[in-house]
Amino acid sequence: MRLSGKVAVVTGAASGMGKAIAELFAAEGAKVVVSDLRIETAQSVVTEIEARGGTAIAVAANVAKEEDVQQLIDSAVLQFGTLDILINNAGIMDNFVPAADLTDELWDRVFAVNTSGPMRTTRKALPIFTEKKSGVIVNIASAGGLHGSRAGAAYTASKHAVVGFTKNVGFQYASLGIRCNAIAPGGVSTNISTSITAPNPFGMERAMIGMPLNPRTGEPEEIAKVALFLASDDASFVNGTVVTADAGWTAY
Ligand SMILES: NC(=O)c1ccc[n+]([C@@H]2O[C@H](COP(=O)([O-])OP(=O)(O)OC[C@H]3O[C@@H](n4cnc5c(N)ncnc54)[C@H](O)[C@@H]3O)[C@@H](O)[C@H]2O)c1
């Protein structure tokens, strides 16, 4: 059990990678706060974890709302006594909208969830981690956080910002026993494509141009294993960096 006794908060944990991370962490002995916008689906993840002998609670939280984030981290501490691991996983796509067609509303919505969300949860968790001189943050960024045309302009910029935030937090809090890393997944088989409701034809064509280079699509469980490594003491010397998990797609 690599996370025995640890308390972990996972955002966006009702589906996809967040769900796989919550399940794997619980199987490795962590007490998991399964958080999502969709509380009923989060609750069913908790039920599955409990059926396998794990410990978890579901907490409804929109990471774009400060009051929800406050209540999320407070619930973890209230229920389990502390916080050890924060997984910033909740994220949304942007319909491949290119820069000329961006609206303020789309830009603000994507940044609110993908970038301000991890900032808010991190800001709330750091005083807890600083006091105990230990804590781990793993941000689910994207290949789109390292490369220019894996999605639309807002998603790409929002995930590049997550990478910068990860490096800043990782370095600045390193001497306080805190680590902060990101994962940059390539294409992973999840429900995120359901958020692509009206793809922009030009933006999608420019984004899809590199898809023939993608060796394969990944499974959420493959990302969960990388998150487990980064959250565990096995990664004690890994900080302020981004681990790409994409079958080699971005290596070309
Ligand atoms: N699937 C991919 O190919 C891929 C590739 C690279 C990066 N990512 C990133 O991985 C992360 C997880 O995505 P996924 O593919 O598992 O998607 P998913 O849609 O299967 O799961 C995302 C979950 O986040 C929740 N969510 C959305 N907005 C939220 C909010 N404001 N507050 C709280 N929860 C919210 C959704 O309800 C959903 O349960 C995202 O940050 C995404 O950008 C995905």
Side-chain angles (χ1 to χ4, degrees), residues 191-209:
N191 292 316
I192 205 161
S193 48
T194 60
S195 75
I196 306 170
T197 47
N200 180 290
F202 172 80
M204 189 160 86
E205 187 269 328
R206 300 315 296 161
M208 287 298 137
I209 209 159

Side-chain angles (χ1 to χ4, degrees), residues 20-252:
I21 291 168
E23 290 174 347
L24 181 60
F25 281 23
E28 290 287 339
K31 298 167 200 159
V32 182
V33 178
V34 177
S35 175
D36 205 282
L37 278 178
R38 298 175 300 133
I39 187 64
E40 279 172 24
T41 325
Q43 186 55 55
S44 55
V45 175
V46 168
T47 304
E48 282 175 43
I49 287 173
E50 287 175 338
R52 291 190 208 116
T55 304
I57 57 164
V59 175
N62 178 349
V63 297
K65 288 191 180 162
E66 175 63 16
E67 59 271 29
D68 283 18
V69 168
Q70 292 284 335
Q71 193 245 329
L72 168 61
I73 306 297
D74 287 343
S75 300
V77 174
L78 194 69
Q79 183 75 23
F80 296 129
T82 190
L83 177 70
D84 300 290
I85 300 163
L86 170 64
I87 309 292
N88 286 312
N89 166 78
I92 55 172
M93 284 202 70
D94 66 352
N95 274 319
F96 300 102
V97 173
D101 296 338
L102 264 174
T103 60
D104 284 2
E105 189 278 325
L106 177 64
W107 178 268
D108 291 346
R109 181 158 45 89
V110 170
F111 265 76
V113 179
N114 292 6
T115 312
S116 302
M119 177 278 290
R120 291 182 193 283
T121 52
T122 299
R123 178 171 67 189
K124 175 76 175 167
L126 280 172
I128 302 168
F129 292 169
T130 302
E131 197 189 337
K132 60 202 274 188
K133 297 233 170 337
S134 80
V136 185
I137 302 164
V138 179
N139 296 322
I140 308 302
S142 172
L146 297 171
H147 300 270
S149 186
R150 263 52 179 193
Y155 184 90
T156 302
S158 74
K159 293 293 189 178
H160 273 71
V162 169
V163 168
F165 188 67
T166 300
K167 292 178 181 178
N168 178 272
V169 172
F171 182 81
Q172 296 206 338
Y173 289 85
S175 56
L176 295 169
I178 298 162
R179 294 187 296 106
C180 179
N181 292 294
I183 303 172
V188 180
S189 177
T190 70
N191 292 316
I192 205 161
S193 48
T194 60
S195 75
I196 306 170
T197 47
N200 180 290
F202 172 80
M204 189 160 86
E205 187 269 328
R206 300 315 296 161
M208 287 298 137
I209 209 159
M211 285 313 286
L213 301 175
N214 187 15
R216 71 173 173 90
T217 300
E219 296 303 323
E221 292 74 20
E222 295 183 279
I223 304 303
K225 287 179 196 166
V226 182
L228 173 61
F229 166 67
L230 291 173
S232 75
D233 289 342
D234 288 349
S236 56
F237 204 47
V238 182
N239 184 31
T241 196
V242 185
V243 178
T244 300
D246 69 349
W249 181 31
T250 56
Y252 178 79

